[in-house]
């Protein structure tokens, strides 16, 4: 793995202390997360307890060539990310004011514990939005609910994710 | 969506009637599934009730730049595919001898109902193998258990998937 | 197993053709389902795509004696039932007008495929309500979302269930 | 809730320091857990990373009167308990040698985060055994895999559970 993409740890606090959640989300979860760039994910909006991502259909995201549907793994990926960003911002509100060391320590432990996806309808569409909302936020584990809609507002899939946040 | 990647329906029976499961799996799930090619998935082996996939680490599959781990969505994707191929071959053994129309009809309904992934250990490695094994195969729904290991044999994640097979 | 509790199959159509969903739900899922009676479940209301159950706290439903919380299995049980009843009524609307044999055949295949529960907050309360809502209803599989609240309106747990309906 | 069933906190360390895992499991999870007694659960064996429970079929555990199957909630309950006991003993091995306060503090946080059950085959049998095995054990979260078999050795259901252990 190239280390060029790694963010020096002393930069974390600067980001964490910024007041623009959109900028933070884009920096950490798009610019610094190669696979999210590969999928073409964009941050639509960030609120206190929920966030929204978007991506456009592309031929290399197809999973079922017979019907032109997005791959179930693309759905799982964006829903995992949507829940993760929501969990991250619920964590962030807790760590504000903490020492640099504490913040860096907690962020290094951040990760998905488990993920469940329900594929409700065929993954058809030109563009897709994924929302992540926090259902519970504890000192160690956050739980998020996620939804994927296409550009016509059709609910295609839902997800639940448990995230380690401390 | 370009239609160039679509497989004419009259080709399905030819493939389904072939006796080389590896060739079938590679054709349907790699050659004809763009996102699996994007991930670099390869079929390692196919047996009656279980199958194995492999992929190599690449920088654009990273999800956590601070530690160089594979993205949780990559893990979810390959485990979904591993369970799906196992479900497909459990379906295939049932449709052998059926009419062309029946086979095509069932395959068009094939898809993941739901998926659960447990991320047990950090996604570190140079290459990864995913196995999918059938736990139950009914006339409509198949259930598969999946595991992801790295090249050192470390169990990184497990999955459970329910698949519509008829 | 005593057969005294078994409902003769020729009674199914009578029930299915009744127009009082509450009476149907109470008959099939409470009166004729011993474990739901053991838990003390009651049907609160039944609508086209969602239903509500209720039960009161009892000492023998405790799972954590140190804190007096309801057992996680009680939560899983009532959420499974709530999703199941919702799935049943989504099935029922499809089978209306079908022959007696078809209805009986479909009902005999009815069952939970898989269930996922997220325990969001400690199971504290004097009484609990569980809602089940249908997210997708197909010819073979229905997917329901469930929620458990206590008498103060606190969301304690959520669930997702996939049900075989045909 | 009657407080008579509550175990004074100063008794915890005595139990935790005992060397008979069977006695500990029976005391904490059967004698002191009313709902497990209601289900008739018994501890079969306890090993370092896996445990086994058993229960006998009873008419009031039936969920489907038409076929005499155990209720899906009974299956979910015993699998939750099997995973929980396995997680508890993985926690116990970590807390040995710690101060009384630390042990009591950790045990009070113990609980299920989330649970997934796959119902593979109809719940038919005279008696059932549930095994719970630890897949990952961290300082905060343990993940267990569970299986339910009937007396004929048929695999009826599997489960995955994430447990808060600290």
């Amino acid at each position: 793995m190239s280390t060029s993409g790694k963010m020096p740890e002393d930069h974390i606090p600067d980001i964490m202390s910024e007041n623009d959640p959109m900028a933070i989300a884009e920096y950490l979860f798009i610019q610094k997360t190669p696979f999210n760039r590969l999928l073409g994910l964009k941050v639509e909006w960030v609120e206190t307890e929920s966030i929204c991502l978007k991506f456009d259909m592309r031929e290399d995201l197809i999973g079922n060539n017979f019907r032109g549907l997005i791959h179930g793994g693309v759905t799982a990926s964006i829903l995992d990310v949507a829940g993760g960003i929501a969990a991250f911002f619920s964590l962030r509100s807790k760590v504000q004011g903490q020492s640099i060391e504490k913040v860096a320590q907690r962020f290094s432990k951040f990760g998905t514990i488990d993920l469940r996806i329900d594929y409700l309808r065929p993954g058809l569409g030109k563009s897709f939005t994924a929302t992540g909302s926090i259902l519970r936020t504890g000192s160690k584990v956050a739980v998020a609910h996620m939804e994927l809609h296409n550009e016509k507002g059709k609910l295609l899939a839902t997800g639940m994710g448990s995230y380690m946040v401390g």
Side-chain angles (χ1 to χ4, degrees), chain A:
Chain A
M1 224 75 46
S2 157
T3 56
S4 65
K6 284 198 187 162
M7 188 166 61
E9 288 203 3
D10 48 308
H11 281 192
I12 301 174
D14 292 356
I15 299 152
M16 296 293 286
S17 64
E18 271 192 32
N19 284 320
D20 184 356
M22 278 287 287
I24 297 170
E26 271 166 6
Y27 182 73
L28 286 179
F29 293 97
I30 310 296
Q31 209 175 322
K32 289 294 179 188
T33 307
F35 188 64
N36 290 348
R37 287 205 312 278
L38 184 64
L39 295 175
L41 303 190
K42 286 163 237 159
V43 181
E44 281 284 282
W45 48 259
V46 174
E47 291 182 3
T48 316
E49 298 207 321
S50 60
I51 70 97
C52 183
L53 297 171
K54 192 176 177 177
F55 73 100
D56 292 321
M57 190 57 185
R58 278 190 346 230
E59 201 169 340
D60 59 359
L61 302 181
I62 293 181
N64 183 320
N65 237 328
F66 298 85
R67 300 171 68 191
L69 312 177
I70 50 165
H71 194 289
V74 175
T75 296
S77 297
I78 190 171
L79 292 183
D80 178 30
V81 176
I85 301 181
F88 171 80
F89 281 101
S90 83
L91 157 69
R92 184 174 171 263
S93 68
K94 298 199 172 206
V95 298
Q96 280 183 322
Q98 287 193 7
S99 72
I100 286 170
E101 289 73 22
K102 278 252 175 183
V103 171
Q105 187 190 10
R106 290 191 71 154
F107 189 66
S108 72
K109 289 172 186 168
F110 186 79
T112 311
I113 298 170
D114 59 54
L115 180 71
R116 284 134 301 149
I117 307 293
D118 285 83
Y119 297 92
L120 303 175
R121 290 178 188 84
L124 271 172
K126 289 177 184 169
S127 69
F128 303 90
T129 51
T131 50
S133 310
I134 287 296
L135 291 184
R136 153 180 139 173
T137 167
S139 59
K140 287 154 199 161
V141 174
V143 178
H145 174 73
M146 295 83 79
E147 296 191 349
L148 184 75
H149 291 85
N150 66 10
E151 82 280 2
K152 293 178 180 167
K154 204 105 188 169
L155 178 63
L156 304 184
T158 62
M160 292 291 297
S162 297
Y163 299 87
M164 187 80 77
V165 293

Short mmCIF file of all heavy atoms in Angstrom, two decimals, chain A residues 6 19 21 26 40 43 51 62 65 78 90 94-96 104 115 118 122 126 137 144 146 152-153 161 163:
data_model
loop_
_atom_site.label_atom_id
_atom_site.label_comp_id
_atom_site.label_asym_id
_atom_site.label_seq_id
_atom_site.Cartn_x
_atom_site.Cartn_y
_atom_site.Cartn_z
N LYS A 6 -1.86 8.35 3.13
CA LYS A 6 -2.11 8.40 4.57
C LYS A 6 -2.10 9.83 5.09
O LYS A 6 -1.29 10.65 4.69
CB LYS A 6 -1.05 7.58 5.31
CG LYS A 6 -1.31 6.09 5.19
CD LYS A 6 -0.56 5.33 6.25
CE LYS A 6 -0.70 3.83 6.00
NZ LYS A 6 0.32 3.08 6.72
N ASN A 19 -15.65 23.59 11.61
CA ASN A 19 -17.08 23.73 11.83
C ASN A 19 -17.93 23.44 10.60
O ASN A 19 -19.12 23.63 10.61
CB ASN A 19 -17.38 25.14 12.35
CG ASN A 19 -16.99 25.25 13.81
OD1 ASN A 19 -17.20 24.31 14.58
ND2 ASN A 19 -16.40 26.37 14.19
N PRO A 21 -19.23 20.57 8.61
CA PRO A 21 -19.37 19.10 8.53
C PRO A 21 -19.23 18.57 7.10
O PRO A 21 -18.63 17.51 6.89
CB PRO A 21 -20.77 18.85 9.07
CG PRO A 21 -21.09 20.04 9.91
CD PRO A 21 -20.39 21.19 9.26
N GLU A 26 -16.40 15.26 3.33
CA GLU A 26 -15.80 15.10 2.00
C GLU A 26 -14.30 14.77 2.10
O GLU A 26 -13.79 13.94 1.34
CB GLU A 26 -15.99 16.37 1.17
CG GLU A 26 -17.28 16.35 0.39
CD GLU A 26 -17.65 17.71 -0.16
OE1 GLU A 26 -16.84 18.65 -0.04
OE2 GLU A 26 -18.77 17.84 -0.70
N GLY A 40 -17.63 6.63 -6.94
CA GLY A 40 -18.18 7.92 -7.35
C GLY A 40 -19.11 8.55 -6.33
O GLY A 40 -19.97 9.36 -6.68
N VAL A 43 -20.96 13.62 -1.20
CA VAL A 43 -21.72 13.98 -0.01
C VAL A 43 -22.78 15.01 -0.40
O VAL A 43 -22.45 16.04 -0.98
CB VAL A 43 -20.81 14.54 1.10
CG1 VAL A 43 -21.63 14.87 2.34
CG2 VAL A 43 -19.70 13.55 1.44
N ILE A 51 -27.24 11.92 7.50
CA ILE A 51 -26.42 12.41 6.38
C ILE A 51 -26.95 11.79 5.09
O ILE A 51 -27.70 10.82 5.11
CB ILE A 51 -24.93 12.01 6.57
CG1 ILE A 51 -24.76 10.49 6.41
CG2 ILE A 51 -24.39 12.43 7.92
CD1 ILE A 51 -24.31 10.07 5.06
N ILE A 62 -22.69 -2.34 -12.48
CA ILE A 62 -23.77 -3.30 -12.73
C ILE A 62 -23.43 -4.68 -12.16
O ILE A 62 -22.30 -5.14 -12.24
CB ILE A 62 -24.04 -3.44 -14.25
CG1 ILE A 62 -24.62 -2.12 -14.79
CG2 ILE A 62 -25.00 -4.60 -14.53
CD1 ILE A 62 -24.95 -2.16 -16.27
N ASN A 65 -26.28 -8.27 -15.41
CA ASN A 65 -26.21 -7.82 -16.78
C ASN A 65 -27.49 -8.02 -17.56
O ASN A 65 -27.79 -7.30 -18.51
CB ASN A 65 -25.08 -8.56 -17.50
CG ASN A 65 -24.09 -7.59 -18.08
OD1 ASN A 65 -24.50 -6.50 -18.48
ND2 ASN A 65 -22.84 -7.96 -18.13
N ILE A 78 -22.44 1.61 -0.22
CA ILE A 78 -22.87 2.98 0.04
C ILE A 78 -23.69 3.05 1.33
O ILE A 78 -23.59 4.03 2.08
CB ILE A 78 -23.62 3.60 -1.16
CG1 ILE A 78 -23.81 5.09 -0.93
CG2 ILE A 78 -24.93 2.92 -1.42
CD1 ILE A 78 -24.35 5.86 -2.11
N SER A 90 -21.93 11.46 15.04
CA SER A 90 -22.46 11.32 16.41
C SER A 90 -21.30 11.19 17.39
O SER A 90 -21.37 11.66 18.51
CB SER A 90 -23.42 10.12 16.51
OG SER A 90 -22.71 8.92 16.69
N LYS A 94 -19.40 14.11 20.48
CA LYS A 94 -18.98 13.70 21.82
C LYS A 94 -17.54 14.07 22.12
O LYS A 94 -17.17 14.25 23.27
CB LYS A 94 -19.11 12.19 21.97
CG LYS A 94 -20.53 11.71 21.84
CD LYS A 94 -20.69 10.34 22.44
CE LYS A 94 -22.17 10.01 22.44
NZ LYS A 94 -22.54 9.07 23.46
N VAL A 95 -16.71 14.12 21.08
CA VAL A 95 -15.29 14.32 21.32
C VAL A 95 -14.87 15.78 21.26
O VAL A 95 -13.72 16.11 21.53
CB VAL A 95 -14.40 13.50 20.34
CG1 VAL A 95 -14.67 12.01 20.52
CG2 VAL A 95 -14.64 13.92 18.91
N GLN A 96 -15.82 16.65 20.91
CA GLN A 96 -15.47 18.07 20.85
C GLN A 96 -15.03 18.55 22.22
O GLN A 96 -15.69 18.31 23.22
CB GLN A 96 -16.64 18.89 20.34
CG GLN A 96 -16.75 18.82 18.82
CD GLN A 96 -17.85 19.68 18.26
OE1 GLN A 96 -18.90 19.77 18.87
NE2 GLN A 96 -17.61 20.30 17.11
N ALA A 104 -7.72 11.38 18.52
CA ALA A 104 -7.00 10.51 17.59
C ALA A 104 -7.18 9.04 17.98
O ALA A 104 -7.37 8.18 17.13
CB ALA A 104 -5.53 10.88 17.56
N LEU A 115 -23.26 -5.30 9.64
CA LEU A 115 -24.07 -4.61 8.64
C LEU A 115 -25.12 -5.56 8.12
O LEU A 115 -24.85 -6.73 7.87
CB LEU A 115 -23.14 -4.22 7.48
CG LEU A 115 -23.71 -3.48 6.28
CD1 LEU A 115 -24.06 -2.05 6.67
CD2 LEU A 115 -22.68 -3.46 5.15
N ASP A 118 -31.26 -5.18 3.41
CA ASP A 118 -32.44 -5.80 2.81
C ASP A 118 -32.65 -5.20 1.42
O ASP A 118 -32.84 -3.98 1.30
CB ASP A 118 -33.69 -5.56 3.68
CG ASP A 118 -33.70 -6.43 4.90
OD1 ASP A 118 -33.05 -6.06 5.89
OD2 ASP A 118 -34.30 -7.51 4.86
N PRO A 122 -35.63 -4.15 -7.28
CA PRO A 122 -34.51 -4.20 -8.21
C PRO A 122 -33.75 -2.87 -8.27
O PRO A 122 -34.38 -1.80 -8.26
CB PRO A 122 -35.20 -4.49 -9.56
CG PRO A 122 -36.47 -5.17 -9.19
CD PRO A 122 -36.90 -4.56 -7.89
N LYS A 126 -31.02 5.93 -12.53
CA LYS A 126 -29.94 6.70 -13.15
C LYS A 126 -29.01 7.28 -12.09
O LYS A 126 -27.83 7.49 -12.31
CB LYS A 126 -30.54 7.83 -14.00
CG LYS A 126 -31.21 7.31 -15.27
CD LYS A 126 -31.85 8.43 -16.05
CE LYS A 126 -32.60 7.89 -17.26
NZ LYS A 126 -33.44 8.92 -17.88
N THR A 137 -26.71 6.14 20.05
CA THR A 137 -25.29 6.49 20.09
C THR A 137 -24.81 6.35 21.52
O THR A 137 -25.28 7.03 22.42
CB THR A 137 -25.06 7.90 19.51
OG1 THR A 137 -23.75 8.30 19.84
CG2 THR A 137 -26.04 8.93 20.05
N ALA A 144 -26.97 2.68 13.30
CA ALA A 144 -27.55 3.55 12.27
C ALA A 144 -28.52 2.77 11.37
O ALA A 144 -28.36 1.57 11.16
CB ALA A 144 -26.45 4.15 11.40
N MET A 146 -30.20 2.91 7.49
CA MET A 146 -29.86 3.48 6.20
C MET A 146 -30.93 3.14 5.16
O MET A 146 -31.59 2.11 5.25
CB MET A 146 -28.51 2.91 5.71
CG MET A 146 -27.32 3.30 6.57
SD MET A 146 -27.08 2.24 8.03
CE MET A 146 -26.28 0.82 7.27
N LYS A 152 -36.18 8.47 -8.72
CA LYS A 152 -37.64 8.61 -8.74
C LYS A 152 -38.24 8.52 -7.33
O LYS A 152 -39.46 8.49 -7.18
CB LYS A 152 -38.25 7.52 -9.63
CG LYS A 152 -37.91 7.70 -11.10
CD LYS A 152 -38.49 6.57 -11.94
CE LYS A 152 -38.13 6.78 -13.41
NZ LYS A 152 -38.39 5.57 -14.21
N GLY A 153 -37.37 8.41 -6.32
CA GLY A 153 -37.85 8.36 -4.95
C GLY A 153 -38.29 6.98 -4.50
O GLY A 153 -38.88 6.82 -3.43
N GLY A 161 -26.65 -0.79 10.59
CA GLY A 161 -25.24 -1.00 10.87
C GLY A 161 -24.90 -0.68 12.30
O GLY A 161 -25.43 0.28 12.87
N TYR A 163 -21.67 0.31 14.65
CA TYR A 163 -20.34 0.88 14.45
C TYR A 163 -19.63 1.07 15.78
O TYR A 163 -20.22 1.54 16.75
CB TYR A 163 -20.44 2.23 13.72
CG TYR A 163 -21.06 2.11 12.36
CD1 TYR A 163 -22.45 2.17 12.19
CD2 TYR A 163 -20.28 1.89 11.23
CE1 TYR A 163 -23.04 2.03 10.94
CE2 TYR A 163 -20.86 1.75 9.97
CZ TYR A 163 -22.23 1.82 9.84
OH TYR A 163 -22.82 1.67 8.60
#
